[in-house]
Amino acid sequence: MKKNIITWFITFGMMFSSCSMLDIEPTTSWTSANIPTEEAHLEGILYAGYSRLQSALRINFLVYGEMRAEVFYNNAFNVNIDKVIANKLDNGMALASWQTFYEAIKQANLVLEYTPELLENGVIEEATANPIMGQAYVLRAYTYFYLVRIWGDVPLITEPFLSYNDLRDVSRTPQDQVFVQIHSDLQQAVKLIPASATGRTTFTQASAYAIDAHVYAWEHDYEKVIEQADFVLKNNNYALSSLYSTSINVNDKDFKEKLHASEFARIFNEGRSKESIFELAFSMDDGDDNQYLSSYLSGSFPIVRPNQAYAETFDDADWRAVVAHEMASNGLYKVIKFTIGFSSDVDTRNIVLLRLADLYLLKAEAIAHLGDSDEHRREAMALVNRIRNRAGGPGFEIPEAEFMNREVFTAEYLKDFILEERKFELCYEGHRWFDLVRWGKAVEIVKERAGIDIHPLSIVWPIHIEEVRRGAGVEQNEYYK
Amino acid sequence: MLKPAYSELKRLTNYDHDKGQTIQFMKNYELNPHLDFDRTVFSKRYTIRTYLMISFMLYSALLLAGNGYSQSINLKVSRAQFETVVHELHKQSGFDFIYNPSAISGASDVTLNLQNVELTEALNAVFRNQPFGFVINGRTVIVQPREGRRTVLQSRIVEGVVTDRNQVPLQGVTVSLKGTRVVTQTNERGRFSIQLEAGHSVLVFSMVGHESKEVTARVGETLSVVLFESMDDLDEVVVIGYGAQAKRDLTGAITSISAEDMESNPGATINSALQGKVPGMQIVTTSGEPGAGSNIKIRGASSISGGSEPLYIIDGVPMEAENISSIDGDASFSPIANLNPNDIESIEVLKDAASGAIYGSRAANGVVIITTKGGNKFGAMAPRATFDHTSSIVSISRKLDVMNGEQFRTAYAEARANNGQPVTQLWVTNPHHPYYNRTTDWQDVIFRTAYQNSNNLSLRGSSDRFAYGISLGYRDLQPVIVHTGYKQLNMRGNFTYKLSKRVSAGTNVSYTDVDYNRILSSSSNNYSALRAAVFTNPVFSPYDPLTGELTDWLGQREMRNPLAMAQKVPISFFRRAVTFNQYVSAELARGLTLRTSLYTNISTVKQSSFQPKEFDSATPRRDFGKYSENTANKLVNENTLTYDRKFGKHRLGAVIGQSIERDFSENLRLEGENYIDSKVTPIQNASRFSAITRTESERIMLSFFGRANYNYASRYLLSFTLRADGSSRFGPDKRFGFFPSASAGWRFSDEEFMRFAKDVLTDGKIRGSVGVTGNQSISNYAWQGSFSASSNRYDGHVIINHNSLMNTNLGWETTIQYNVGMDLMFFKGRVNLTADAYHKSSKDLLFNFPTNYYTGFSSVATNFGNIENRGIEFLIETVNTDNAVRWETGFNISFNRNKITDLPQGDDILISGYSLGRVGKPIGIFFAHQALGVYDRDESNVYYAPDGTIGQYRKGASTGEVFKGGDMIWADLDGNGVIDDDDRTIIGDPNPKFIAGLNNRISYKGWSLSANFYWSKGNMVMNELRRRRNQMTYTGNLGQDALKRWRQQGDVTDFPMIRYGDAMENFRPSSFSVEDGSFIRLKEVILSYSIPADYLRGLFVNSINAYVSGTNLLTWSKYSGYDPEVNSSTNPFVQGVDNGSFPKSRSFNLGIRVQF
């Protein structure tokens, strides 16, 4: 008996004494050591990048891109939104944090780090690797473009942090250098993404060109804008969705319903239209719970409403207004562009970030900035009129006689006209504030139309206080010091 | 005052249920003139006093009524054997009969027919024709020859009963006849009988933990002996890691708590029982919710990562205690709440490294060893059943002063006006509207006075080869918040059995079932019921004033109705746990024991919550539900070899062992929307799942350990331990941690030169120790980094997020602790003093260190920084009087000073806004702005710049807003005229200067009165609840303190203007919200009474104890919130933050304990 026990004890002890038993790996997740090893992993990491961008922009595409302009007023007293609309930003607002944007960049960097490795090891082939990498490049570039537009100089991270040992203090990189990186990423992307990729909810060649055009516009490099925009405009995978139709009459009883059912309205409410270049996909099936659009814009007590003065700048002949907003019985406007026929029980809506009409007008803007010759005018206004024609038919176009009249259409007026046209076309799509900043008119127009003073230094957002506190090297924007 | 009442009660009860007894008293007296019977004639006063006794009598009377004995005898026998008749008499009367079988050999058969006669009459009849007679002594009939005194001596039998001070019979008392080898033990009723020998008549009564007593006995008499617990407890055995040791031989800092110290209220927990009893142990519960988690620190916080909880060892099995968080993340529950406090026999708290180091890796925060009752010892103990019942009336201990309807209406309009906003709400513009013209104090709506009860039934006993303890406990703890309920069922069985002379084994099994229906209790969630009680607009009523119906929303859908929420939002928490532990130990050679054990448990927590549509604020409304299931499984195998031998004066002990532990957990979480029905809401009734997550997690720990003890005559004591732990949580190179310790003690009182002081200093020992302990509380797989698939998709595609960074350097956090201590015992234990001083320094702290967001991560698991704790602790226990009245006092006080001694690059870290870590400062010290007062008017804001210019103070930036009248005046520490982050400073320390406990117990015969106080001094509290209310980020009621707010130019006050949304951040975290959280709490007062064993003799009841008590009766504190003791966070870094958790409740309890 005694002997047995001892033997048993020793065997038992030996059995467990082996230290390798402490090598355990998670069974329901991966570790840094065992992922990515296959194509599906890379895709998962890439799509997570899209998903992070989604989180960063789900309503914030409006917060960062439009709310600081003259467009909205705060309807339900939401403290943070109030600060944005009043242009009184502070460094403690969650909105001042760039965390989610950098999470998207993190995922893109991972793809760019690992795909070449897997390619080299022969795990995947070029045909699969290229589109994945190409998308990651666009994702990174586009995210940086948002970062720069919001915060100015930002830390430029192009390699993933994989381990504790990789951590280091990074200071803010000057915008110019970030732009160099963005252009280079986008150029890489168009080489890698096949022309056959035509999805609307993932990045394509066209979306890379469109973003690049926007970045050049931001840098005021107008020739480049035209060059990049043309790649998209010539791509016959994209066409303007229709709105104006001779079969619809303003006096029709169901005029509004007809417009709400138009191709143009369906860009935003159905998604994946022929005009769409890039949109963030939201779906209930994906677990998205995008009630933001209705609670912010169109619910019974929306957080923001368009200023009446703003809403009334729309021409009566401009059919886009009918799709964009409506006046409720109480005389107040609300935005319906994304929520026509919306029922939060069953619906989500994609958020269209880039579409063809934007590129039409961006090109017009570039042309107008390049010169004021007749040819320039004709070319620019042809683009604008194409958009106006869709909005209100031939009668809504500006006749050549009119825009060639330099007395009325001064060089400045023409440019303003294009800026204004962008406002009507792209209203509530998260462009207005960025447009004003790009045109250098933010301070002027917001003062003039909303009576809000903006200090030029406060055009950039504050960096979240936590970020400043945590890092050696991340310095606060001047205005918020 | 108690004395006469008690003695009269004794007579009264005797008289009452044993009519005619006085006669026997007299007879006895004649027989044995030395018997010390009280001959006082009954006082007439007793009848009045009786009323005072009624409550206690009630219990005994009830029991007596049902006892089956009758005082009148019916006997109808014909030619019955004498013994049979005696047996019948015994049955009917409950009287015991003592006789020598040889003495009744000549008995003649009995023929009788008696109806309703008294016992004496019956006895006289029975004994009439017998060759022997009888005497009655108490409740015993002694049969004796008629010849007289000469033969009486021959029987030489002495019998009696031994009880403790509280009249509870003592079983297992050794009764020996001095100078002879005659010895016996008391039975389960405390009774004994012993045969005297010629020339010897001194009986010695002895029992462990009690003082021995010598009594000179006389034949035939019945002794009533009371044994007092001994004050000298040096022989008491204390449970230590992997063994037990006599208290005398301890060299480490260990505090023992026995079952008696457990609290009396049904909601009692182990943590609440320990609070104020163990010097150096600070326990702060996160809320007053049943089963709530606690923030426990033994000798200060030595870790940051969330692991400051001690290691719990329950019946030898380690349980790492991680609080369980609720499904909505608003509360945390204690992992040890599944233990029934009633099952606990003793708790040992190991504080220094030398005691804890045998548990190595996890002992850095101290070790709490819990031993459950029953099945521990072999010996002859008849089955003993115990039933406990406690009933309580429970209510909240404090209400906050909130504004009434009119006050709030004014304040709200003002708050809006201060933003230049018109007020359009009907309840402001239309104050006479029937919906808005009254005031509701929502605390009255949300809180209630609840009835709680707890019941326990246990059965324990043992033989030479088998010992068992089985218990069943049921507690119904209705919380003080409406529409909530908490029920807990506990079962436990402990069995030990001897397989052969050298092999014994044991089995422990337990089962726990907790069923809790709760409502949200804390967090920032705006529909937490408790916050709602304070925040809800007082002009609204829970019921529609016109129809009387409960409304879902208040006002014009302005606020959810907290009462409707409480009724209609079901949140449930189920917890089930089964444990099984089996061990075998074999004595391989003399003193050498091998023990191997296998432990396993399965514990499941199932939670669900559902928010019906009607409370959704979005349009159209949706309903949401959640369901989660966490299953944890633990497997521990432990093998130890113990050696313990005494060679003359040398005593040598050693343990070597090895253990392996595997922890496995599985979590499932489902979230759904759009239910098909709002009444029946299992998760599958959701028409869509918005999140589905399932995870598994595993950890393995492999350990080797050993200890050697040596002592010489208990005078020189030495002990060494070493443990090596390998944990799968750390990188391959950092896996194993080594944790050595050494300690020594010197009992100087035993030295020759101390002999002169022996009368005063009974025992004196100094001890010292040094040791290393560790901590591994970081998540499983932490070093490996993590990628995981999310439950969301992007456009139908699976997404894989990189969640955490890998850190191959991640390793053990270690703590080196030095301890010196002294144990002094004066006057044979009348005064005991224990003092300890320690220095603890922890390095390589495990921490999820905040990283810059540009990394894509918000934190990374790493080791960093050092923390130091220094402190002294005193424990003084005295027996102030020890005659009829015994008065014991225990006082302990401990001072701990905590300091961060190193941080990476010396940088400050700030957690959750204002809890600061800074080198040289205590952990979690409050760091925020200093409020200096309130500008009485706009012009009062003047800033004199260093360059001589005059300006005004601005907020945030040189271009920021100018502070105006009614805004807070902030200290501008850098003198730049801008109030920003750089102007923050240390504004308060949440660590107490000292904590102390005072426990008193006075007992007199069956009565005992005890009172426990707990005192915490100098800890500051950040009153977040108050701060958030004043910020008015949404429409919530304010406190009465806001009545003195600044309202117009020229107002001089220290309370700033209220402004909807608090644009100027007057209510930012600051010294304005920091309050002194010092308090003294009368934790519990218990008055208990045990019915004397004498009166229960002959009943099937062995002892009855009844008590009344009050818990959390009084709290003296200046703090303005619900409770200064609440800390909303379980993170040791974030201390003293009051987010408005469920307050502690006050209870009045009535209990009874009956032992059969």
Side-chain angles (χ1 to χ4, degrees), chain B residues 528-594:
Chain B
S528 139
L530 186 107
R531 288 172 76 97
V534 189
F535 279 38
T536 304
N537 190 338
V539 304
F540 299 142
S541 317
Y543 300 98
D544 185 314
L546 304 180
T547 64
E549 276 172 22
L550 186 69
T551 56
D552 293 330
W553 288 78
L554 304 172
Q556 296 175 301
R557 253 171 81 88
E558 284 158 73
M559 217 171 225
R560 296 179 178 92
N561 181 352
L563 185 64
M565 293 283 295
Q567 249 182 44
K568 295 182 184 173
V569 178
I571 301 176
S572 69
F573 178 94
F574 290 99
R575 184 172 177 190
R576 265 176 210 114
V578 180
T579 68
F580 179 85
N581 187 22
Q582 175 68 47
Y583 69 85
V584 183
S585 79
E587 195 176 7
L588 304 177
R590 199 172 149 207
L592 183 69
T593 311
L594 171 71

Side-chain angles (χ1 to χ4, degrees), chain A residues 217-399:
Chain A
W218 191 264
E219 293 177 283
H220 307 296
D221 186 346
Y222 296 111
E223 270 155 16
K224 286 282 196 184
V225 174
I226 295 168
E227 187 187 312
Q228 302 297 319
D230 277 341
F231 282 117
V232 186
L233 300 180
K234 283 178 199 147
N235 187 331
N236 55 21
N237 186 36
Y238 302 93
L240 292 179
S241 300
S242 66
L243 177 61
Y244 177 82
S245 160
T246 47
S247 63
I248 303 172
N249 193 299
V250 185
N251 300 320
D252 287 350
K253 238 186 188 166
D254 54 353
F255 173 66
K256 202 167 94 178
E257 285 69 33
K258 279 179 177 160
L259 294 199
H260 285 181
S262 67
E263 273 188 5
F264 180 76
R266 297 211 304 266
I267 298 175
F268 314 102
N269 292 292
E270 198 177 270
R272 296 170 215 262
S273 64
K274 59 185 179 188
E275 182 170 337
S276 166
I277 301 171
F278 179 70
E279 56 195 62
L280 285 168
F282 285 87
S283 142
M284 285 269 182
D285 291 340
D286 289 348
D288 294 317
D289 183 0
N290 198 0
Q291 287 187 70
Y292 291 93
L293 291 169
S294 58
S295 61
Y296 268 77
L297 303 170
S298 61
S300 55
F301 193 54
I303 293 172
V304 293
R305 289 182 188 274
N307 280 311
Q308 195 175 354
Y310 172 86
E312 283 168 4
T313 58
F314 282 80
D315 197 299
D316 286 345
D318 189 344
W319 289 15
R320 290 172 299 194
V322 181
V323 175
H325 52 232
E326 66 185 11
M327 194 169 72
S329 51
N330 55 7
L332 304 174
Y333 283 92
K334 71 175 164 190
V335 175
I336 56 160
K337 203 168 194 175
F338 291 94
T339 50
I340 293 169
F342 184 81
S343 158
S344 70
D345 277 11
V346 290
D347 262 349
T348 54
R349 295 285 149 91
N350 289 358
I351 293 171
V352 181
L353 293 175
L354 295 165
R355 62 184 173 98
L356 197 58
D358 172 17
L359 270 284
Y360 269 80
L361 295 173
L362 196 69
K363 186 178 171 188
E365 174 184 332
I367 295 167
H369 279 86
L370 279 174
D372 193 31
S373 69
D374 286 2
E375 200 40 48
H376 281 114
R377 288 202 166 203
R378 232 170 253 126
E379 226 180 294
M381 286 310 288
L383 291 162
V384 173
N385 273 335
R386 176 75 193 79
I387 300 300
R388 287 183 69 89
N389 179 296
R390 168 172 72 170
F396 198 53
E397 289 183 29
I398 309 293

